[in-house]
Amino acid sequence: MTPPLDLNRRQFLGAAGLTAGAALLAGCASTSAAASGTRTLQFWHLLSGGDGVTMSGLLDGVNTAQSAYRIRPTVLAWGTPYYTKLAMASAGGRAPDVAIMHATRVLGWAPGGLLDDWDTGRLADLGVDASAFPDPIWKKGDVDGRRLSIALDAHPFVLMYNTEVCEKAGVLDGDGRLKEAANPEDFLAMVDAIAGVTGGHGLSYGYLGDGSQMWRLFYTLYTQHGIEMEMPQGGPAVIDKDAAVASLAFMQKLLDGKRAAKQADYGTAVAEFATGKSGTFLSGVWELRTMQAAKIPFDVAMIPPVFGTRTAYADSHSFVLPHQSHPDAASRDLVYRFVADMLKGSFGWAEAGHIPAFLPVTESAKYAKLLPQAHYADAAKHVRYDPPAWFTGSGSNFQGQFGAAAQPALLGGGSPADAVARFEAAVKRFLAQPNPADPEGARR
Amino acid sequence: MTSTTPTTTTIVTGRAATRATRRHAGGSRHGEQLIGWAFLAPFLLAFALFLAWPILHGLYLSFTDQSLTGSGGGFVGLANYVDALADPVMWGSLGNTVWFTLLSTVPLVVVALLMAVLVDRGLPGQWLWRLSFFMPYLLASTVISQIWVWIFNPQIGAANNVLKAFGLEPIAWLQDPKTNMIAIVIATVWWTVGFNFLLYLAALQNIPQQQYEAASLDGAGGWRQFTAITLPQLGPATTLIGLLQILASLKLFDQAYQMLGGLSSDTTRSIVQYIYETGFVGYRFGYSAALSYVFFAIIIILGVVQALITRRRKDAR
């Protein structure tokens, strides 16, 4: 195989960077580190905004708690830019010591040797094993018997509600929590009642131009039918058309201009709920901090199982070992320690809204008192991830393609069946393509 | 455009060097040649590293199944090209690119001409108009994308406020597949019309005043003067602007990508965006390179047509 140009350029840039960096750091960092025996571990992640601040706090915590290692984080832009760079670094075998990936993206990377396996024995020695995680979350890190990722959290799509508005609308129960709708009609009636109180919309949901947002709600509703999509390599995909159409039709009923705005983008919906102009808000848990900062009275619930089965569409930020050609044994040891330290200290991560995956944290008395987080912690047991396939996952083209297919139906009241047909065609195209990370399947 | 400028420089430098050598014929001809090459070296190095090598390497990649993740890389012959020609998404995005080029080139020529004529024909405060019309062109594509994302915001955007004032229904400009291409065209015209405007203004100011005077004496009115003198005199400028504009419009990517927030819509995905998506989102470098070369071939054909038209005009003179 002829090495591609980017490898050469990277080597060149790497060498140049190293030379310059070494000259710069010769005086300070490296000597002080060597003197105290502290190893620096490179850690890449894609968390910015409120999540980024929380993550920095957690890293500061583990850095100061011990002197064996020091984490040096590199933050890259969420989505494609991050995954492209991490893939290139891993392909060259010169990746960071440890990185965060969405659990749903791991599968696509598994066959190409982009990720190194976690040693479950070493993890167990540190108290990290199946018994410390909700079942579906732990299993997600396992790809064909290889332990490729360790979940830090689950971040489901949930329903936030303004307690003051909902109280007036009479949709709260005796404990001041939202009454759970048992079917689509109940849910629509509830939103109508809330809209009557706000005078504006009952529900905020931003989706315009955002395939991920459309997919999150759609797949929650779809899996509530008690099924999941299957997209085996080479096809054909298993998609229940009736359930898909029912889910989209329900979304259309929500977006009628009275219950929720017909045309709202993500930012508009956040602003609407944060200023009390609507009573409920369909969103990822990561917006928890935004709403706390907005100082509105609110609580959070799982999205009610209107189609029967209780599910929570979610993804997990997970620790992975990007492939290194010559991993340093001592650094690898410290990476295991770092991951265990982070999991044990993930209570702080809950403050950003995410549900820590590590059960000793969520089962603690302290967590039970953490509100509103404790009110939706149950979602961790009911998580549904993207259908496993190399092309799916957070920030993937797949979610964008779903958005392109579904948006005309949500926006202009186009037929849900047409939207599902467009989506199926897109999935078919994906399935016909080989996984580009797979050395066997790159071209039939 | 970027590539033509350096090439011209080479030719000029090359000729100048030859001339210099001839003048000092006899002396240290060899030494001067060395100096000539030394002057050329920085450019040649950059040219080789950032233009010649990527072009050749890209061509090589297009015959492999190289993946961005490092796997693949085996020679697959023409398979990528065969796939590309049968790929409906490639044809769709090529169609979008051509559609955008048509939609944008016409207003970018006509509006620029109108603006130039108005400014040339005694609007007071000419410098202010010139500045205002040209200013958007100086903005980065990221900036204009942000500006227009706000203008086109379906809930609070200026565009829908205008529609509302006329009692019209709001439009989801960038999200509705029926309008998103139009929205991108509007933003692009606002952004780049200033450049064509300047070219036209310069051409207008080069038209000899005597021709208008003579026409006035013969009793020709304003419109007659415009159609009989101004337009014909602007012919070469119009050809140049039109061709430059077609080439610029074919490169559609940044503003569309940014204004749609990366959402790949079947009605706006340009060929350049498809190449990017294939290579950097889908990791298929080999296929992505093949797509680039299909597009490259089309550009080459257009370039040849441009050259032919220009030559015919020169011959006609």
Side-chain angles (χ1 to χ4, degrees):
Chain A
M1 192 190 98
T2 318
L5 170 69
D6 53 78
L7 192 70
N8 291 332
R9 189 178 59 213
R10 195 165 52 241
Q11 280 169 341
F12 168 73
L13 288 176
L18 272 181
T19 323
L24 265 172
L25 296 173
C28 47
S30 53
T31 42
S32 63
S36 60
T38 305
R39 265 176 195 271
T40 301
L41 300 179
Q42 302 286 346
F43 172 47
W44 285 16
H45 67 80
L46 71 178
L47 304 154
S48 55
D51 279 357
V53 175
T54 313
M55 180 50 83
S56 297
L58 289 183
L59 293 177
D60 288 347
V62 295
N63 275 340
T64 47
Q66 44 72 45
S67 58
Y69 65 83
R70 210 191 131 65
I71 292 292
R72 209 165 81 195
T74 301
V75 189
L76 296 160
W78 193 94
T80 303
Y82 175 76
Y83 284 111
T84 304
K85 290 182 183 91
L86 188 62
M88 289 175 82
S90 307
R94 297 158 54 86
D97 297 300
V98 56
I100 290 274
M101 273 183 82
H102 287 101
T104 51
R105 295 296 295 262
V106 170
L107 180 67
W109 286 33
L114 291 174
L115 296 174
D116 292 342
D117 294 28
W118 290 99
D119 180 339
T120 42
R122 278 157 94 180
L123 286 170
D125 291 345
L126 293 160
V128 178
D129 58 18
S131 68
F133 292 83
D135 214 33
I137 297 180
W138 177 256
K139 276 194 187 134
K140 188 71 189 170
D142 193 300
V143 179
D144 299 332
R146 297 169 65 200
R147 168 65 33 195
L148 289 180
S149 69
I150 311 290
L152 170 66
D153 66 22
H155 45 280
F157 203 62
V158 292
L159 181 68
M160 301 192 183
Y161 56 99
N162 185 315
T163 44
E164 216 166 77
V165 173
C166 290
E167 170 104 71
K168 277 187 210 151
V171 293
L172 298 187
D173 65 12
D175 301 330
R177 309 259 299 266
L178 196 67
K179 284 185 214 159
E180 192 166 73
N183 54 55
E185 291 70 35
D186 279 3
F187 191 86
L188 296 175
M190 177 192 84
V191 177
D192 285 336
I194 297 169
V197 171
T198 61
H201 298 130
L203 171 80
S204 297
Y205 171 58
Y207 69 94
L208 279 186
D210 190 336
S212 301
Q213 273 292 100
M214 288 179 251
W215 173 250
R216 286 167 189 146
L217 179 57
F218 168 79
Y219 204 56
T220 306
L221 298 169
Y222 181 89
T223 52
Q224 284 189 355
H225 288 84
I227 46 174
E228 289 186 58
M229 291 182 184
E230 288 166 45
M231 298 177 185
Q233 181 75 55
V238 181
I239 299 172
D240 185 317
K241 268 188 208 141
D242 295 340
V245 168
S247 307
L248 267 179
F250 179 64
M251 286 166 77
Q252 282 183 324
K253 282 185 198 146
L254 288 173
L255 301 168
D256 68 350
K258 287 188 201 112
R259 294 185 180 116
K262 258 185 192 167
Q263 311 172 339
D265 62 5
Y266 192 97
T268 313
V270 170
E272 189 179 56
F273 184 71
T275 50
K277 287 184 185 134
S278 76
T280 50
F281 176 41
L282 287 163
S283 159
V285 290
W286 51 90
E287 292 298 345
L288 187 81
R289 283 235 152 142
T290 316
M291 296 312 154
Q292 285 172 334
K295 300 209 180 347
I296 51 165
F298 77 103
D299 204 341
V300 186
M302 282 182 69
I303 294 176
V306 293
F307 287 112
T309 309
R310 187 178 302 277
T311 63
Y313 172 74
D315 207 335
S316 292
H317 295 121
S318 306
F319 293 103
V320 294
L321 293 171
H323 174 63
Q324 292 184 335
S325 306
H326 308 287
D328 178 280
S331 291
R332 271 281 153 98
D333 266 338
L334 292 169
V335 165
Y336 279 84
R337 230 184 106 180
F338 159 68
V339 168
D341 288 351
M342 284 293 281
L343 291 173
K344 287 166 190 165
S346 58
F347 185 83
W349 193 231
E351 284 165 4
H354 310 283
I355 305 173
F358 201 56
L359 286 175
V361 171
T362 47
E363 284 170 353
S364 67
K366 196 170 141 201
Y367 189 82
K369 285 192 208 112
L370 183 68
L371 291 179
Q373 283 87 336
H375 283 168
Y376 58 85
D378 218 25
K381 292 181 200 138
H382 305 284
V383 293
R384 294 292 186 278
Y385 293 100
D386 269 16
W390 66 263
F391 49 83
T392 57
S394 293
S396 66
N397 216 1
F398 165 78
Q399 295 190 351
Q401 285 297 309
F402 174 77
Q407 189 168 269
L410 300 181
L411 190 66
S415 138
D418 289 352
V420 173
R422 280 194 295 273
F423 171 62
E424 283 183 316
V427 171
K428 206 173 163 189
R429 276 206 303 275
F430 278 120
L431 285 173
Q433 289 170 22
N435 178 355
D438 187 348
E440 302 299 316
R443 173 167 288 284
R444 271 75 56 192
Chain B
M1 249 173 82
T2 26
S3 61
T4 44
T5 331
T7 323
T8 331
T9 326
T10 339
I11 297 165
V12 173
T13 327
R15 272 188 206 146
T18 330
R19 237 181 279 138
T21 320
R22 249 186 249 130
R23 222 175 288 149
H24 296 276
S28 55
R29 187 187 174 121
H30 186 65
E32 287 205 4
Q33 261 180 356
L34 270 184
I35 291 172
W37 282 109
F39 271 109
L40 278 175
F43 166 74
L44 281 181
L45 189 71
F47 175 81
L49 266 180
F50 299 113
L51 208 62
W53 170 245
I55 286 177
L56 290 175
H57 190 73
L59 186 63
Y60 162 75
L61 281 181
S62 73
F63 296 112
T64 70
D65 62 353
Q66 180 64 50
S67 154
L68 181 123
T69 62
S71 61
F75 191 76
V76 295
L78 288 170
N80 283 330
Y81 288 93
V82 174
D83 276 10
L85 295 179
D87 182 349
V89 183
M90 188 204 75
W91 290 112
S93 42
L94 263 181
N96 288 339
T97 305
V98 171
W99 182 227
F100 171 81
T101 305
L102 283 176
L103 283 180
S104 63
T105 301
V106 174
L108 275 168
V109 173
V110 175
V111 173
L113 176 63
L114 276 178
M115 285 172 11
V117 169
L118 282 177
V119 170
D120 190 50
R121 285 295 165 95
L123 277 181
Q126 208 196 77
W127 67 271
L128 182 65
W129 294 103
R130 216 161 45 203
L131 183 69
S132 323
F133 289 156
F134 190 63
M135 194 95 92
Y137 186 71
L138 300 175
L139 297 175
S141 68
T142 41
V143 178
I144 74 110
S145 302
Q146 282 307 310
I147 292 175
W148 284 93
V149 161
W150 282 110
I151 292 179
F152 286 136
N153 183 299
Q155 305 263 309
I156 54 172
N160 276 354
N161 278 343
V162 171
L163 290 185
K164 232 179 272 171
F166 286 99
L168 296 167
E169 280 289 298
I171 297 175
W173 291 92
L174 288 170
Q175 290 80 24
D176 192 330
K178 290 195 278 294
T179 54
N180 51 13
M181 186 59 105
I182 304 287
I184 290 167
V185 169
I186 292 173
T188 308
V189 170
W190 178 81
W191 177 31
T192 59
V193 75
F195 181 71
N196 297 349
F197 156 76
L198 267 202
L199 290 181
Y200 264 132
L201 192 62
L204 277 174
Q205 287 168 352
N206 271 340
I207 301 177
Q209 216 41 51
Q210 302 91 301
Q211 298 189 359
Y212 291 107
E213 284 165 22
S216 301
L217 289 175
D218 290 341
W223 178 249
R224 184 92 177 94
Q225 287 184 20
F226 178 72
T227 52
I229 302 174
T230 313
L231 276 188
Q233 289 281 1
L234 286 180
T238 305
T239 314
L240 175 76
I241 290 170
L243 287 168
L244 286 180
Q245 192 52 58
I246 287 172
L247 290 178
S249 287
L250 285 173
K251 291 191 306 191
L252 169 67
F253 175 64
D254 3 6
Q255 70 269 38
Y257 181 76
Q258 287 160 172
M259 285 169 72
L260 294 186
L263 181 75
S264 178
S265 144
D266 283 340
T267 49
T268 57
R269 187 194 296 108
S270 66
I271 182 71
V272 180
Q273 179 163 353
Y274 188 48
I275 291 168
Y276 161 80
E277 279 173 12
T278 308
F280 288 93
V281 184
Y283 301 160
R284 298 175 71 195
F285 252 28
Y287 187 52
S288 166
L291 292 173
S292 314
Y293 274 88
V294 172
F295 184 48
F296 186 52
I298 293 170
I299 299 268
I300 292 269
I301 293 169
L302 276 175
V304 170
V305 172
Q306 173 186 10
L308 287 178
I309 292 176
T310 326
R311 195 195 297 160
R312 204 198 300 154
R313 170 158 295 110
K314 270 188 196 147
D315 293 347
R317 250 184 239 158

